[in-house]
Amino acid sequence: MLDNFGNVAGVVQSKLNVLKVALASGDFPQNINFAIKGAILASFLESNGVTITPGSITGVKLDPADLADAAKAVSGLVACQ
């Protein structure tokens, strides 16, 4: 999850089960995801020896297309089984 400047603001942890909600409510919710806050992520990484570099909010805000490109460049799926 990125802010308007392309900095990591959090990590998406899961998304709402649309089918389960639709069966229970009759409505199809859209774009509901759950994320871990960036501060909690930073604390976890630092406690495990990972150095982080804080972002900046003094730059230029990215337009949605550039923000999507930035997200694609740093995104990946992590699955635990």
Side-chain angles (χ1 to χ4, degrees), residues 3-45:
D3 65 13
N4 290 330
F5 301 95
N7 299 310
V8 175
V11 174
V12 176
Q13 183 266 337
S14 63
K15 81 184 252 187
L16 185 68
N17 186 326
V18 175
L19 294 178
K20 196 176 271 191
V21 173
L23 289 173
S25 70
D27 189 23
F28 287 90
Q30 297 179 21
N31 300 321
I32 300 176
N33 299 297
F34 302 94
I36 299 169
K37 288 183 179 182
I40 294 172
L41 173 64
S43 177
F44 171 79
L45 291 173

Side-chain angles (χ1 to χ4, degrees), residues 2 5-7 62 64-75:
L2 304 178
F5 301 95
N7 299 310
L62 299 174
D66 290 336
L67 192 55
D69 288 341
K72 286 179 190 175
V74 298
S75 297

Side-chain angles (χ1 to χ4, degrees), residues 54-68:
S56 172
I57 58 170
T58 59
V60 177
K61 286 186 178 180
L62 299 174
D63 64 51
D66 290 336
L67 192 55

